[in-house]
């Protein structure tokens, strides 16, 4: 089959975002996935200000002007920042329209290899697809990536879209993290309720283990969700949909290979929050621009992949990622009461600090300041524990990446 400029492998949010951005650069794009038009079933949430590259109002199902969190004690804290539930069909349609010139193909990629001035992707049904550049947007673990050296930390969650006998949180609100521990005294690790009033009597309720190594099993989360709702006198009267969630939080950074990884395949899931969709939308234009430039310069495929990789993971983003991975190690080292106290301190930080941390908008220096501010803010016993974890050999190994980020991308 004749070659194109770019072959995008994978049809999740990252694959379609990459295809749309490449089409905008007037590149010839082909997109390959086993079910390229299959609906995305995940309930994708995001902060509205992170969706500036798409018109947020056009791709969201519902927005909440403020967000609640409950960490320690009975009261909620209200965060002044708008949160949304993405309407997957609208987002896909919006990206599909932008990627209208893309040729969409059904198939599963098996391998990629150099073929002179092109790359050749072999599919499981024997097809060979040629392109000057290949984007691996196949999620984690990436189709063309190396296996992870050690088992990653996992975010797991069990959720329901349901009708309930009573509101689990105040009507009309959404709650990002409800750590109310009363139904689970002494239970490890800490998990929280992520909940949204979807209107018309429907709720989204999800018990979430932010990060654990090994993963918290989904059956444990289902039991905890039932317990939590029962403790509030809430019964489920109709289950409309179930969400079973498990994904790696600290997948290894991609190596520069023939294909350039993007999205969850490129470890773009935020290691301390688990969010990725908005980040894929944000980084796709830089990826596409670097491909346009490299193709115009008639570079060879390995040079093109290297330039594109640098656009996806510039040095500053690598430094920030290292700090996030350190933050993840701290979280993994805390027991349930300490986790709740930690988030209590985190959401008491000034808005710019915690927003910059969760949305990757702070510089490395600003992130370091935020982390120090947080350490100063938490109770003394917790401060000592956090510092002990942050100074452990494993954490220091992680932190050395801030100084030498290129070591991480060999
Ligand atoms: C249940 C759940 C809820 C989540 N909620 C959120 C959230 O609220 N907000 C957020 O920002 N993030 C969330 N995430 C994290 C992350 O953003 C998602 O995992 C997201 O789907 C990753 O997007 P992606 O396009 O990189 O990969 P995926 O969505 O995993 O898409 C991978 C694509 O590649 C295709 N593919 C795989 N192998 C091959 C192959 N060999 N050849 C061709 N195609 C292949 C697949 O069929 C699929 O089309 C959630 C994750 C899960 C699992």
């Amino acid at each position: 089959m004749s070659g194109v400029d770019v072959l995008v492998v994978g049809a999740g949010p990252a694959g379609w975002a990459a295809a749309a951005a490449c089409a905008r650069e007037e590149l010839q794009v082909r997109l390959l996935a086993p079910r390229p038009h299959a609906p995305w079933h995940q309930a994708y949430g995001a902060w509205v200000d992170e969706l500036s590259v798409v018109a947020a109002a056009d791709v969201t199902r519902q927005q909440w002007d403020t967000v609640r969190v409950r960490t320690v004690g009975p009261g909620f804290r209200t965060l002044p920042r708008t949160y949304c539930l993405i309407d997957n069909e609208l987002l896909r349609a919006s990206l599909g329209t932008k990627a209208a010139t893309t040729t969409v193909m059904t198939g599963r990629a098996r391998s990629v290899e150099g073929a002179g001035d092109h790359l050749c992707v072999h599919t499981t049904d024997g097809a060979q697809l040629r392109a000057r550049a290949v984007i691996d947007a196949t999620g984690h673990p990436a189709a063309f990536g190396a296996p992870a050296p050690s088992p990653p930390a996992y975010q797991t969650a069990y959720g329901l879209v349901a009708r309930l006998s009573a509101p689990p949180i105040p009507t009309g609100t959404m709650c990002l993290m409800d750590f109310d521990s009363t139904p689970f005294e002494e239970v490890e690790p800490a998990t929280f309720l992520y909940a949204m009033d979807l209107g018309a009597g429907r709720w989204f309720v999800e018990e979430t283990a932010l990060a654990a190594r090994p993963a918290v099993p989904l059956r444990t989360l289902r039991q905890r969700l039932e317990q939590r709702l029962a403790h509030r006198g809430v019964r489920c009267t109709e289950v409309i949909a179930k969400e079973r969630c498990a994904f790696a939080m600290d997948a290894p950074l991609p190596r520069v290979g023939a294909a350039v990884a993007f999205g969850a395949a490129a470890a773009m899931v935020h290691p301390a929050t688990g969010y990725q969709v908005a980040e894929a939308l944000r980084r796709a234009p830089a990826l596409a621009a670097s491909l346009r430039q490299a193709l115009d310069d008639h570079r060879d495929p390995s040079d093109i992949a290297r330039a594109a990789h640098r656009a996806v993971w510039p040095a500053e983003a690598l430094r920030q990622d290292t700090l996030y991975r350190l933050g993840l190690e701290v979280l993994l080292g805390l027991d349930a009461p300490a986790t709740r106290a930690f988030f209590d301190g985190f959401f008491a930080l000034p808005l710019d600090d915690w927003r910059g941390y969760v949305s990757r908008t702070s510089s490395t220096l600003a992130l370091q300041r935020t982390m120090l501010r947080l350490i100063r803010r938490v109770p003394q016993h917790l401060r000592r524990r956090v510092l002990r974890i942050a100074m452990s050999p494993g954490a220091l190994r992680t932190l050395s990446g801030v100084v030498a980020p290129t070591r991480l991308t060999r």
Side-chain angles (χ1 to χ4, degrees):
M1 191 173 271
S2 67
V4 291
D5 293 329
V6 180
L7 173 65
V8 178
V9 185
W16 277 104
C22 289
R24 201 188 170 95
E25 291 286 345
E26 299 182 357
L27 295 166
Q28 256 185 309
V29 186
R30 190 174 279 155
L31 181 140
L32 171 79
R35 295 171 63 219
H37 298 291
W40 303 329
H41 291 296
Q42 298 89 330
Y44 292 135
W47 300 95
V48 165
D49 54 32
E50 292 177 337
L51 294 175
S52 53
V53 287
V54 287
D58 294 347
V59 299
T60 56
R61 191 187 302 176
Q62 216 158 335
Q63 298 192 5
W64 294 266
D65 289 342
T66 56
V67 161
R68 287 166 180 247
V69 290
R70 175 155 53 179
T71 46
V72 289
F76 285 101
R77 188 192 300 273
T78 302
L79 307 174
R81 194 177 175 202
T82 307
Y83 191 83
C84 67
L85 190 58
I86 292 174
D87 185 315
N88 292 351
E89 276 180 40
L90 289 181
L91 177 60
R92 254 274 294 281
S94 159
L95 296 173
T97 305
K98 291 181 180 128
T101 53
T102 299
T103 309
V104 178
M105 299 185 65
T106 301
R108 182 174 286 278
R110 187 166 47 81
S111 61
V112 59
E113 63 180 13
D117 62 351
H118 276 72
L119 294 173
C120 183
V121 167
H122 299 262
T123 69
T124 50
D125 52 12
Q128 295 182 14
L129 307 175
R130 282 159 59 84
R132 304 270 314 280
V134 174
I135 296 175
D136 178 355
T138 55
H140 175 77
F144 304 134
S150 54
Y154 269 87
Q155 179 167 129
T156 48
Y158 178 84
L160 299 174
V161 176
R163 292 185 194 282
L164 304 174
S165 61
I169 56 168
T171 309
T173 66
M174 84 80 51
C175 184
L176 188 70
M177 289 180 151
D178 182 351
F179 271 113
D180 177 23
S181 61
T182 39
F184 322 115
E185 285 308 338
E186 310 297 332
V187 174
E188 295 288 344
T191 59
F192 60 86
L193 177 71
Y194 170 62
M196 303 171 197
D197 184 348
L198 300 178
R202 292 171 317 124
W203 290 87
F204 181 72
V205 282
E206 187 165 70
E207 192 71 22
T208 305
L210 183 63
R213 197 189 285 136
V216 177
L218 291 183
R219 66 173 178 285
T220 305
L221 294 165
R222 180 165 52 78
Q223 283 160 3
R224 286 201 194 184
L225 179 63
E226 287 164 5
Q227 247 178 298
R228 194 185 283 284
L229 294 177
H231 185 261
R232 290 178 197 191
V234 176
R235 265 182 314 102
C236 186
T237 54
E238 184 192 349
V239 174
I240 299 164
K242 292 181 184 172
E243 173 156 286
R244 294 181 178 84
C245 174
F247 59 87
M249 297 285 280
D250 59 346
L253 284 161
R255 291 190 291 197
V256 184
V260 57
F262 190 62
M268 279 165 50
V269 169
H270 192 308
T273 69
Y275 286 74
Q276 190 272 152
V277 174
E279 193 60 17
L281 297 173
R282 195 170 68 84
R283 289 195 209 185
L287 165 63
S290 77
L291 288 171
R292 170 87 267 170
Q293 185 66 53
L295 287 163
D296 285 352
D297 293 347
H298 301 288
R299 301 212 217 146
D300 66 44
S302 59
D303 258 9
I304 294 171
R306 207 167 298 122
H309 176 79
R310 272 197 301 273
V312 175
W313 277 112
E316 175 70 351
L318 287 172
R319 281 191 283 269
Q320 292 163 1
D321 187 71
T322 304
L323 289 175
Y324 291 136
R325 285 171 192 257
L326 179 66
L328 172 65
E329 289 307 316
V330 168
L331 277 179
L332 292 170
L334 298 179
D335 61 15
T339 303
R340 292 190 279 270
F342 184 84
F343 279 104
D344 195 54
F346 183 77
F347 287 113
L349 288 169
L351 172 64
D352 279 350
D353 278 2
W354 68 258
R355 178 172 48 201
Y357 191 90
V358 301
S359 295
R360 309 188 199 235
T361 50
S362 291
S363 66
T364 305
L365 195 62
L367 274 182
Q368 284 167 329
R369 272 199 221 110
T370 297
M371 291 167 102
L372 288 174
R373 249 182 229 140
L374 176 58
I375 288 171
R376 276 204 300 268
R377 192 177 280 269
V378 297
Q380 203 181 356
H381 65 93
L382 178 55
R383 189 176 314 144
R384 275 201 296 268
R385 284 168 71 175
V386 168
L387 287 173
R388 221 176 16 248
I389 301 167
M391 303 303 275
S392 67
L396 288 176
R397 258 197 311 279
T398 302
L399 197 57
S400 65
V402 176
V403 183
T406 44
R407 285 179 44 213
L408 294 169
T409 58
R410 267 199 309 256

